[in-house]
Every structure is written in structure tokens, then in C-alpha cells.
Amino acid sequence: MDQLRLQDDLRRYLCLRCAGFLEQVTFVVVHDYLAQHGHGPTLAFAKSWFEHAPNLGASAFIKLVGRFGSTYQTSFETFLTPVRKATLSDLLDVRNDVAHGKHFAGQKLNPDRYVRLCEEIYDWLIETFFGDSVEVLDDEGVEVVGYERTRS
């Protein structure tokens, strides 16, 4: 019985980590995109509005991406298939329920589909906002300094 409880706790933890990862990667990508494409007061204004990513349920995510224009929103809505949309909604439900101390089990605690979703959204964000780009590392090869376009 203790092993089952531990397994459920680890699943909840992985779900929380996936939700946190999506919020952080979205923040970093959008923040870096703004830094590369803005300057001066315009950049300061944009950054002041976007201090952190919101809880990214499907509609909030669509709204956030839509702030960059209808092309971005349409692209994200196309990417966000019904399965991905349902998985994203489930992930946010799990995150909120776990954060508020609710106890549950079942399909919603299957972290495999959330990890896949995180990978797919990460790839979409990087491709959409940075195109064909590469990470630029410091001299030690450890810290990401930024992104650089490999083709125009």
C-alpha cells in the first residue's frame, strides 16, 4: 500500500513539474523573443506586462499567443489538436487540484502524456518564435546566452 501511495505522489509531482515547465518555458521564449525584437521604451513596456506566464490552460495559452497577432493564434490553434487541448486542460486540472490538496487518481495522473505535450509545445514555441535557431552557449558550454537565427 505504501508503494502505491508513493507512486501516486510521484505522479502528482511529475504533473506539477510539467505544468511548471510549460509556464517557465513559455515565459522564457516570449521574454527572449521580446528582447530580440524590441528596444527602448517599447521593450520595457512589453516586458512590464509579461512578468510571468499565467496558468496556461488551453484558452489562456491561445489568448497569450494571440497577443502576437492572428497568424500566431491561428498557427497555435491548428497545432493544438483536440487531443493536445484535452491533455493541456487535464494538466491544468491536475495542477490546480494538487495545489489545493485534493486527492484523486486515474488517467489524469498519467504523466507520460504530459511529458509528450511539454515536448511538443516546447518544439512549437521554439520553431514559431525563433525559427531555425541554435542555442548559443558560453565558453564553458554550460549557460545559454541566447538564440541566433541560422537562416533568414
Side-chain angles (χ1 to χ4, degrees):
M1 192 59 128
D2 287 341
Q3 289 295 329
L4 290 176
R5 282 190 207 143
L6 178 60
Q7 188 177 37
D8 274 353
D9 283 346
L10 288 174
R11 286 177 164 193
R12 283 184 193 84
Y13 176 74
L14 284 171
C15 292
L16 287 174
R17 294 292 295 162
C18 284
F21 172 80
L22 277 182
E23 290 171 11
Q24 285 302 306
V25 76
T26 302
F27 173 78
V28 168
V29 167
V30 169
H31 192 269
D32 286 357
Y33 180 82
L34 292 172
Q36 287 183 16
H37 292 87
H39 62 284
T42 304
L43 176 60
F45 175 79
K47 282 181 164 180
S48 72
W49 176 83
F50 194 67
E51 294 177 1
H52 66 280
N55 291 337
L56 293 172
S59 59
F61 218 137
I62 290 168
K63 184 178 177 183
L64 173 64
V65 170
R67 288 180 153 279
F68 288 93
S70 62
T71 303
Y72 286 87
Q73 182 170 338
T74 301
S75 174
F76 188 67
E77 288 176 324
T78 300
F79 162 80
L80 202 58
T81 63
V83 170
R84 286 182 179 136
K85 194 172 191 176
T87 303
L88 186 57
S89 294
D90 286 350
L91 177 58
L92 190 62
D93 288 346
V94 169
R95 180 213 170 276
N96 291 338
D97 287 348
V98 169
H100 293 101
K102 294 182 181 175
H103 183 76
F104 58 92
Q107 174 65 18
K108 280 191 175 183
L109 278 185
N110 179 0
D112 291 340
R113 61 193 195 123
Y114 302 133
V115 170
R116 274 194 310 278
L117 177 71
C118 287
E119 291 170 346
E120 292 166 352
I121 290 177
Y122 172 86
D123 289 343
W124 184 89
L125 287 168
I126 295 298
E127 183 179 324
T128 300
F129 286 95
F130 296 111
D132 293 326
S133 60
V134 293
E135 294 180 34
V136 180
L137 305 179
D138 66 7
D139 292 337
E140 266 69 53
V142 175
E143 184 178 331
V144 175
V145 176
Y147 290 90
E148 158 184 304
R149 255 193 205 285
T150 56
R151 65 181 170 147
S152 21

